[in-house]
Amino acid sequence: MDINSYQQWISQFYKQRNWYEYQPFIRVNFLSEEVGEVCRAIRTIEIGRDRPDERKTDYNQQLENLTEELGDVLDNLFILADKYDISLEQIMNSHKEKLQTRYE
């Protein structure tokens, strides 16, 4: 699936569950929460958690968790972009151009 097709799909998925109706100001807070979960997943992989109340997981389970959390971050970015009618392809192209202009 290409990036534009996924953006359309995830927007429809969120609309069907009435998750899309949250305003961008609220959605960005969901994004912040998910970024925190990515941080926790990376911490677990890199230095561990050392929590007796949490079961230990192996490296593959930790990577699966990180993959899931990164997906949650991406979905929130897709929804925010969609709410402002910006395609992810447009964002990538614009950002690439900015970096090339700045650093080349």
Side-chain angles (χ1 to χ4, degrees), residues 20-35:
Y20 191 89
E21 62 192 46
Y22 292 110
Q23 297 302 315
F25 192 72
I26 294 171
R27 175 66 45 207
V28 80
N29 284 287
F30 291 153
L31 173 61
S32 296
E33 178 183 344
E34 296 301 342
V35 168

Side-chain angles (χ1 to χ4, degrees), residues 62-78:
Q62 293 168 358
L63 283 181
E64 285 178 25
N65 182 54
L66 177 58
T67 301
E68 179 181 329
E69 299 304 343
L70 286 169
D72 291 342
V73 167
L74 281 176
D75 286 351
N76 278 283
L77 290 173
F78 278 92

Side-chain angles (χ1 to χ4, degrees), residues 15-69:
K15 286 174 183 175
Q16 289 171 349
R17 284 156 185 75
N18 297 321
W19 298 343
Y20 191 89
E21 62 192 46
Y22 292 110
Q23 297 302 315
F25 192 72
I26 294 171
R27 175 66 45 207
V28 80
N29 284 287
F30 291 153
L31 173 61
S32 296
E33 178 183 344
E34 296 301 342
V35 168
E37 291 174 8
V38 167
C39 294
R40 181 179 179 167
I42 290 174
R43 174 188 172 185
T44 301
I45 292 170
E46 294 299 323
I47 64 172
R49 296 268 304 150
D50 195 24
R51 296 273 313 252
D53 60 334
E54 294 178 0
R55 73 175 176 84
K56 299 244 185 251
T57 55
D58 67 26
Y59 184 73
N60 287 332
Q61 291 170 313
Q62 293 168 358
L63 283 181
E64 285 178 25
N65 182 54
L66 177 58
T67 301
E68 179 181 329
E69 299 304 343

